[in-house]
Amino acid sequence: MPPHLTRRAMLATSLTVAAGAVAFGFWQGLRSRAELEQPPAPPLLLPEDQAARARAVAQQHPTVQALVGSGARPDSPVQVNPVTGPDGRIVAAGVWFPFDAPRTVRATWVHPADWEVNWPPTRFVQATYTVEEAWGILVWVDLASEQVVRLEASGPYARVAPDEDPFVLRGELRDRAIQLALDAPWLAPLLTRAEPSVMEHLPGIHDRQGDLIGAVVGLQFSEPLAVSGTFPVVVKDERADWDDAEIREQTIEQKVSLVVVVVSFRDDRALGLWYWE
């Protein structure tokens, strides 16, 4: 499973891969009970019969059979972890098939778009693309229907081929995101001094229903520019939904060569900076 990412690491990933990994990423770790000065909660466990059945269903999937096969790690058993739905109940089993070594794999993958608000999921993103540096395959099996509802190659350094990434903006949506970023009035002092180049692959931002609500736009300047002023900054916990993000005014006094802007399609404007360096 991917580890918890810092904002910088998540940014680097999203600019070269897709924010869908952020939007649809499943983080099983909850807020530490130690922070709340409470005893740790007992771990959620699947009954062995359910785990065994989910493992069997996942192993029968054609993609798993084609890609894992002899490439599985013989010293690491298939892991099965519970998946909780919107109401906190265990609704699925997450089955992890590790490879013997990181691999480049290509297949048709399935992402449940609205699993955080609907179970079983009602909306899916299904697309064929290549994943580099995959450490294994993650499969979610719905316990009630015994159907596969999620299938993806994953790993801490997994990279989706940008030209194939279903979560990268293209065409009119990409043009709209760029224009919203460039029209931000608080960016005008920078843009009048130098024209930035726009990073080629711009990831979209999705809400918990799976709807596209915005984008992340990277603007790169050829030379560092001195920045002095107050800017809106988008602040979001890395595990939180984008709807929970806050916009805070922050003073920036430094030279920057890269600024990353969060734009909202719903508000039809740039919300603020997400990152700068």
Side-chain angles (χ1 to χ4, degrees), residues 251-265:
T251 300
I252 301 175
E253 301 280 350
Q254 68 181 74
K255 286 188 175 182
V256 301
S257 57
L258 167 69
V259 294
V260 178
V261 182
V262 175
V263 303
S264 169
F265 292 147

Side-chain angles (χ1 to χ4, degrees), residues 19-262:
V22 177
F24 300 131
F26 175 65
W27 303 102
Q28 293 190 13
L30 301 177
R31 182 181 176 188
S32 171
R33 293 301 183 95
E35 295 179 56
L36 304 178
E37 297 183 354
Q38 296 180 8
L44 295 174
L45 299 175
L46 278 172
E48 181 52 38
D49 60 334
Q50 285 187 323
R53 182 57 188 161
R55 188 183 297 111
V57 170
Q59 287 174 327
Q60 293 169 7
H61 194 281
T63 298
V64 173
Q65 292 185 346
L67 295 180
V68 179
S70 60
R73 288 171 50 187
D75 60 337
S76 180
V78 173
Q79 302 173 22
V80 182
N81 295 310
V83 176
T84 55
D87 61 359
R89 294 183 303 108
I90 296 176
V91 293
V95 187
W96 171 248
F97 297 92
F99 296 145
D100 55 356
R103 299 168 57 187
T104 296
V105 292
R106 179 177 175 79
T108 299
W109 311 104
V110 180
H111 299 265
D114 61 346
W115 70 271
E116 292 184 282
V117 293
N118 292 315
W119 198 274
T122 61
R123 301 173 66 181
F124 296 86
V125 176
Q126 182 169 311
T128 301
Y129 53 84
T130 302
V131 182
E132 301 172 352
E133 289 291 318
W135 286 24
I137 297 177
L138 175 65
V139 183
W140 280 4
V141 178
D142 176 44
L143 295 178
S145 65
E146 295 190 346
Q147 298 294 312
V148 170
V149 294
R150 181 179 183 182
L151 176 71
E152 66 172 310
S154 187
Y157 306 105
R159 300 186 302 273
V160 178
D163 291 340
E164 302 176 355
D165 197 323
F167 303 113
V168 168
L169 299 186
R170 295 177 174 83
E172 293 182 2
L173 280 175
R174 184 179 186 275
D175 294 341
R176 181 184 175 194
I178 294 172
Q179 195 60 54
L180 289 176
L182 296 178
D183 286 346
W186 36 269
L187 270 186
L190 276 180
L191 300 181
T192 56
R193 294 160 55 191
E195 182 177 351
S197 59
V198 180
M199 289 190 172
E200 182 179 359
H201 303 291
L202 306 183
I205 294 173
H206 299 76
D207 63 12
R208 293 183 180 182
Q209 296 281 0
D211 292 320
L212 180 68
I213 61 173
V216 177
V217 181
L219 303 175
Q220 181 80 53
F221 296 95
S222 59
E223 297 182 358
L225 300 176
V227 175
S228 178
T230 301
F231 294 83
V233 176
V234 178
V235 179
K236 184 183 79 69
D237 184 272
E238 291 158 11
R239 294 173 180 153
D241 185 72
W242 280 99
D243 286 330
D244 300 325
E246 298 179 4
I247 302 174
R248 302 176 187 171
E249 296 294 319
Q250 185 168 330
T251 300
I252 301 175
E253 301 280 350
Q254 68 181 74
K255 286 188 175 182
V256 301
S257 57
L258 167 69
V259 294
V260 178
V261 182
V262 175

